[in-house]
Amino acid sequence: MGIFGANVHDSQALIPLVKGIPPIRSLRGPRRRRPGKLHADKGYDYRHLRQWLAQRGIQHRIARKGVETSQRLGRHRWTIERTMAWLAGCRRLHRRYERKAEHFLAFTSLACTLICYRRLAK
């Protein structure tokens, strides 16, 4: 996982984000080391990113600039938008006050744990 500034383009964060995904435990067979599919909006529409994903055997569904609308990705995107809205509710994460990335990640992990606990407690 990586932490990037707000002034960094999203496409520059894709490769570290995909590399930072931990192995996925499965009921049968070996652990999966990478995701099977990736959905992304037009901000990630670059040839080098498509090639990088294809080399690793990751199916990509990236909306193309000037060709497709982002409407079709809406059915997958709402889960991300909802999660980001839940995290924005945590005042400490709304603005980054911590100078060290480790501290910010610790507070993010704590916020995610609290969100999961609240969802399960319903």
Side-chain angles (χ1 to χ4, degrees):
M1 181 186 283
I3 296 177
F4 294 89
N7 59 349
V8 176
H9 195 268
D10 291 341
S11 64
Q12 295 177 354
L14 180 71
I15 293 174
L17 179 69
V18 173
K19 284 183 177 180
I21 296 174
I24 302 166
R25 185 173 299 193
S26 61
L27 297 175
R28 294 183 301 195
R31 291 182 177 194
R32 291 178 51 196
R33 298 277 180 204
R34 60 184 177 267
K37 192 187 287 187
L38 178 96
H39 292 269
D41 60 4
K42 294 178 185 181
Y44 300 93
D45 185 26
Y46 291 97
R47 175 174 281 155
H48 71 278
L49 293 177
R50 290 177 185 270
Q51 290 174 348
W52 186 84
L53 292 168
Q55 288 172 354
R56 278 142 190 85
I58 301 171
Q59 251 184 337
H60 54 81
R61 174 70 182 95
I62 301 174
R64 294 174 289 172
K65 295 176 188 172
V67 177
E68 299 175 273
T69 64
S70 297
Q71 297 287 343
R72 293 183 58 191
L73 293 172
R75 66 188 118 172
H76 303 286
R77 187 177 180 156
W78 73 271
T79 56
I80 302 300
E81 298 295 334
R82 176 195 63 192
T83 306
M84 296 307 292
W86 286 343
L87 287 173
C90 301
R91 285 186 294 167
R92 186 102 190 186
L93 299 178
H94 191 65
R95 295 252 186 212
R96 185 174 167 192
Y97 294 109
E98 289 76 28
R99 291 180 182 257
K100 293 186 178 181
E102 296 85 20
H103 295 173
F104 182 73
L105 285 175
F107 281 116
T108 304
S109 299
L110 185 61
C112 291
T113 304
L114 288 172
I115 288 169
C116 290
Y117 174 74
R118 289 178 192 145
R119 294 289 294 170
L120 292 173
K122 283 186 177 182

